[in-house]
Amino acid sequence: MEELLAVTRKQLRFQKIITGCLVLIIVMLLAAGRVMADKVNQMNTVMQEAMEKIDSIDVDGINDAIDSTNRMLESADEFAQAVDSVTGKVQEFNSWFSGIFGN
């Protein structure tokens, strides 16, 4: 009977140790869950701020600026073509004028 009581006490001691370890693991999991929840809340706050900044961007204004720039580049291209045309005419005139005086 004494031996059975000793074995039961050993089992009870091991069960207490295992229970203590399980309680420690549960406490650690709860602490990790709390930290994780805080991080998720911080991330949510940052994402909301980012969304507000993105919503405040004036996309229509940017598109208008791009359109204006494209029109300006087209005008510059037309001006360059006009300058090339005038340069060609001046060269023709120069050739004709040189031909008159025999140069």
Side-chain angles (χ1 to χ4, degrees), residues 10-24:
K10 273 188 178 179
Q11 287 178 348
L12 183 60
R13 186 178 307 130
F14 282 126
Q15 285 179 346
K16 285 181 181 180
I17 292 171
I18 291 172
T19 303
C21 290
L22 289 175
V23 167
L24 182 66

Side-chain angles (χ1 to χ4, degrees), residues 1-65:
M1 186 75 158
E2 295 277 333
E3 292 177 15
L4 186 58
L5 200 55
V7 169
T8 305
R9 284 185 182 153
K10 273 188 178 179
Q11 287 178 348
L12 183 60
R13 186 178 307 130
F14 282 126
Q15 285 179 346
K16 285 181 181 180
I17 292 171
I18 291 172
T19 303
C21 290
L22 289 175
V23 167
L24 182 66
I25 290 172
I26 290 171
V27 168
M28 289 172 54
L29 284 174
L30 289 174
R34 174 70 180 167
V35 169
M36 203 75 157
D38 289 341
K39 294 293 181 185
V40 168
N41 285 338
Q42 288 176 355
M43 193 179 347
N44 188 23
T45 303
V46 169
M47 289 298 289
Q48 286 177 350
E49 291 172 2
M51 289 302 296
E52 289 172 2
K53 288 181 182 179
I54 288 172
D55 287 341
S56 69
I57 293 175
D58 184 17
V59 176
D60 292 332
I62 293 171
N63 287 336
D64 290 342

Side-chain angles (χ1 to χ4, degrees), residues 53-103:
K53 288 181 182 179
I54 288 172
D55 287 341
S56 69
I57 293 175
D58 184 17
V59 176
D60 292 332
I62 293 171
N63 287 336
D64 290 342
I66 291 171
D67 289 340
S68 298
T69 304
N70 285 338
R71 277 182 273 160
M72 184 179 68
L73 290 174
E74 289 172 1
S75 297
D77 188 40
E78 291 173 3
F79 178 72
Q81 289 174 357
V83 169
D84 289 342
S85 174
V86 169
T87 303
K89 299 282 184 187
V90 169
Q91 287 174 348
E92 288 176 14
F93 177 73
N94 188 28
S95 297
W96 176 78
F97 198 69
S98 295
I100 290 178
F101 293 109
N103 286 339

